Amino acid sequence: MASCKPVQLLFLYPRYDWHQMGSLVVVTLYAKGCLPQSCLFEANPTNLRVCLVFEGGKCENELKWKLNGVIDPEKSTIDISGTKVEVKLRKASPVMWPCLELVEKRTAPKEEGSD
């Protein structure tokens, strides 16, 4: 697994949005001026990792998501333009996701003597 090289983060993570339609989930990162040849994208059926590089390699941002559903990484695509990065994730099944990231339920700790 490749990793982002350690560099100073010069600004906050890029803004992103997501939407879904049928068998696709589209994650749009607003990343004006990122260097396409230096960016890194990794996905498996339940995780997405994006590493964007800016300003000649001086600034790097890494974003990770534990996805709310299962995707097919082999059928997913990436489009990079001058102002944004669009990651099109092909869903394994056309089920609507309530949100992009999986929200793990937290259970209250069991109190002693409460059976």
Side-chain angles (χ1 to χ4, degrees):
M1 177 187 226
S3 64
C4 292
K5 63 182 177 182
V7 292
Q8 182 180 5
L9 296 180
L10 301 175
F11 55 89
L12 297 176
Y13 290 118
R15 184 172 60 93
Y16 74 89
D17 197 4
W18 78 283
H19 67 277
Q20 59 187 317
M21 49 191 164
S23 62
L24 278 181
V25 169
V26 180
V27 180
T28 304
L29 298 119
Y30 301 96
K32 184 176 181 178
C34 77
L35 304 172
Q37 67 278 11
S38 300
C39 295
L40 174 70
F41 303 90
E42 294 180 340
N44 66 37
T46 58
N47 293 287
L48 173 64
R49 179 173 170 249
V50 176
C51 186
L52 301 175
V53 179
F54 299 87
E55 299 183 21
K58 294 179 188 173
C59 183
E60 214 168 89
N61 290 88
E62 182 177 17
L63 298 106
K64 295 179 184 180
W65 294 273
K66 182 169 184 153
L67 301 172
N68 198 26
V70 179
I71 63 164
D72 183 347
E74 299 298 318
K75 294 181 180 174
S76 299
T77 61
I78 299 155
D79 295 316
I80 301 176
S81 70
T83 58
K84 66 182 180 179
V85 175
E86 203 167 68
V87 182
K88 295 178 182 175
L89 305 170
R90 176 73 57 185
K91 294 180 189 176
S93 61
V95 177
M96 294 300 284
W97 295 4
C99 55
L100 177 63
E101 286 191 86
L102 180 66
V103 179
E104 297 187 23
K105 294 181 183 176
R106 296 183 186 192
T107 57
K110 189 175 180 181
E111 293 181 27
E112 288 186 37
S114 61
D115 289 319

